[in-house]
Amino acid sequence: GLTESENEEEEQMWNLSFYKNEIVFLPQGLHIETLLELWWDNYEVLEENHSYIQWLFPLREHGMNWRAKPLTLQEIEAFKKSTEVMERFIRAYQLMLRFYGIILTNQETGELERAENWAERFQNLNRFSHNNLRITRILKCLGEMGYEHYQVHLVKFFLTETLVKETLPNVKRSALDYFLFTVRSKQKRRELVHYAWQHYKPQDSFVWGPHDKLSKYRPRSAKSQVHQTVGSKEEEPGRKCDDSVEKSQNPSLEEDQEVLIKANEEDTRERLSESVSEGGDGEDEKEALFTQQEENDFSSKAEAQGTAENDCAKESKKRKLDANVADDIKSGPLKSPPDIEKISRNLGECAL
């Protein structure tokens, strides 16, 4: 919601010029390349100098150093377009992390872990509270530069150290009051508040979110894992099947099975009619034909099962249909003269 006025001073892009190594930070500063090289692990200078932090991590508002220039939207876009500038920005972030006893282990994700000298650096962080203001500035700047995922990991790191491991008691209040609410992603911010509530002691004194909503809240990552587990169980062979889904996924298989069933029925009826027309009641022939039909049906089922092993619903339908067809053929009045006449007419009267 910050408004920007257009004037010649802002058009010069002071922060961008500093990150391009064209100017020194003010007052009495250095070029950024010199700073990143000479001040690496120079913890005393990083602690006592109060002019550089506004230049390394500019914001869209004035800080304590009035010689520093507020960041502009135009500068933010220019920062993001320059590979050289963004590489220096990450190096500046790593410089300050190391000063606080933290290491950036993955530049893609922003994951963090304690440095080897974390105990010494944490002691300094607990002692000098002005570093809490610096961390808030760093978090805000990360959000401006498009590193919102870095924000999440840094806030989570401090919540863990203050609430779970209890190594930074003097940072706890700032982590809850300020660090948490610099995270731009609403979803991630809610997850972090929920995480803080889970580990806050005593939990009933937590004032950074309503307890009734926090008790019911489930992080989206946890929800997705539950859905994936349920989905994988439903897809196992022998589990519940959905006819409509299976049909839409394998329409050709369904049609092939129907054609095969109809062909078996027609072949059985033809051969029965031939046996009746040749004389005799045809019971032996019918029994042999039904046996052969069942074998054909069984082989067709096996083939279909090999093609779609999980298609339990369609197999059930097919078995029912085969049984109904067989019952109709067995129970039908095939011996009656009208039926024999119809069969003979269909065969071109060659049987009479």
Side-chain angles (χ1 to χ4, degrees):
L2 297 176
T3 59
E4 297 180 0
S5 59
E6 297 181 1
N7 54 51
E8 295 181 358
E9 186 179 48
E10 289 185 346
E11 291 177 358
Q12 293 182 26
M13 297 189 183
W14 293 92
N15 297 292
L16 184 63
S17 296
F18 171 68
Y19 259 94
K20 284 185 174 181
N21 209 41
E22 296 172 351
I23 63 173
V24 299
F25 71 84
L26 299 173
Q28 300 175 350
L30 306 169
H31 286 87
I32 188 170
E33 273 298 328
T34 306
L35 185 155
L36 293 175
E37 291 177 7
L38 296 183
W39 290 11
W40 186 265
D41 287 346
N42 195 339
Y43 302 136
E44 185 176 352
V45 174
L46 290 171
E47 179 61 50
E48 295 177 357
N49 192 303
H50 299 281
S51 301
Y52 68 91
I53 195 69
Q54 293 87 356
W55 290 87
L56 284 183
F57 301 97
L59 298 179
R60 296 179 58 210
E61 53 190 309
H62 277 288
M64 297 300 294
N65 181 3
W66 286 93
R67 300 294 298 275
K69 308 298 180 181
L71 187 66
T72 66
L73 293 174
Q74 190 177 4
E75 278 186 313
I76 293 173
E77 295 303 316
F79 264 74
K80 294 178 180 179
K81 291 178 182 178
S82 173
T83 303
E84 172 193 3
V85 166
M86 296 313 295
E87 286 179 352
R88 287 199 179 107
F89 181 75
I90 298 301
R91 288 169 61 196
Y93 180 56
Q94 291 175 308
L95 172 76
M96 296 307 298
L97 286 177
R98 190 167 180 82
F99 173 62
Y100 297 130
I102 310 170
I103 294 177
L104 178 65
T105 58
N106 190 321
Q107 290 192 22
E108 294 294 327
T109 62
E111 294 177 64
L112 306 168
E113 67 179 25
R114 289 174 173 180
E116 293 181 359
N117 60 344
W118 66 271
E120 173 194 341
R121 303 317 308 157
F122 280 18
Q123 184 178 2
N124 183 81
L125 191 53
N126 271 315
R127 181 179 178 185
F128 299 105
S129 60
H130 67 89
N131 283 297
N132 297 341
L133 299 175
R134 291 177 172 181
I135 294 170
T136 302
R137 169 178 282 273
I138 292 170
L139 284 164
K140 288 183 177 180
C141 188
L142 288 172
E144 294 284 13
M145 297 300 177
Y147 286 89
E148 296 180 20
H149 53 300
Y150 276 30
Q151 287 183 310
V152 176
H153 284 287
L154 187 55
V155 173
K156 182 73 171 288
F157 180 89
F158 281 114
L159 290 177
T160 302
E161 293 295 341
T162 57
L163 300 178
V164 181
K165 300 179 180 179
E166 300 181 347
T167 55
L168 293 170
N170 294 341
V171 183
K172 177 179 176 180
R173 194 74 186 187
S174 293
L176 292 168
D177 285 346
Y178 299 103
F179 298 175
L180 261 177
F181 301 100
T182 62
V183 177
R184 288 196 169 193
S185 170
K186 187 176 182 180
Q187 173 200 336
K188 295 298 182 182
R189 190 168 62 247
R190 286 181 173 179
E191 290 182 4
L192 289 170
V193 173
H194 184 260
Y195 177 80
W197 172 75
Q198 286 180 312
H199 298 283
Y200 190 84
K201 301 173 185 178
Q203 197 174 64
D204 56 359
S205 298
F206 189 83
V207 297
W208 293 270
H211 291 194
D212 56 337
K213 292 185 178 181
L214 287 168
S215 61
K216 298 176 182 178
Y217 180 77
R218 295 293 179 273
R220 184 172 297 182
S221 57
K223 292 179 182 178
S224 62
Q225 290 176 0
V226 172
H227 291 324
Q228 289 175 0
T229 303
V230 174
S232 62
K233 288 183 179 179
E234 290 181 353
E235 293 171 1
E236 292 179 1
R239 300 282 183 176
K240 180 180 178 182
C241 298
D242 188 339
D243 294 339
S244 60
V245 174
E246 293 295 334
K247 287 181 181 179
S248 63
Q249 291 177 346
N250 300 294
S252 59
L253 179 62
E254 185 80 11
E255 293 173 359
D256 291 343
Q257 290 177 353
E258 292 178 358
V259 170
L260 183 61
I261 294 171
K262 290 180 180 179
N264 289 338
E265 294 175 24
E266 293 174 359
D267 182 67
T268 301
R269 290 183 182 277
E270 272 188 280
R271 297 177 67 177
L272 279 173
S273 61
E274 289 176 359
S275 65
V276 171
S277 62
E278 291 174 359
D281 55 12
E283 289 295 327
D284 295 336
E285 290 82 354
K286 282 193 287 183
E287 183 176 355
L289 290 173
F290 285 135
T291 302
Q292 184 177 358
Q293 181 184 8
E294 289 177 356
E295 293 176 354
N296 292 336
D297 292 342
F298 177 79
S299 62
S300 64
K301 291 176 186 177
E303 183 180 357
Q305 185 176 4
T307 306
E309 186 175 357
N310 296 335
D311 198 4
C312 57
K314 286 191 283 187
E315 288 293 335
S316 177
K317 286 186 176 181
K318 182 174 178 297
R319 285 194 295 269
K320 291 180 181 179
L321 181 59
D322 291 346
N324 292 336
V325 170
D327 290 340
D328 291 342
I329 295 175
K330 288 181 180 180
S331 60
L334 293 176
K335 295 182 180 181
S336 61
D339 284 339
I340 295 175
E341 293 176 0
K342 290 179 182 179
I343 294 172
S344 64
R345 283 198 297 271
N346 290 336
L347 295 175
E349 299 182 355
C350 63
L352 292 179

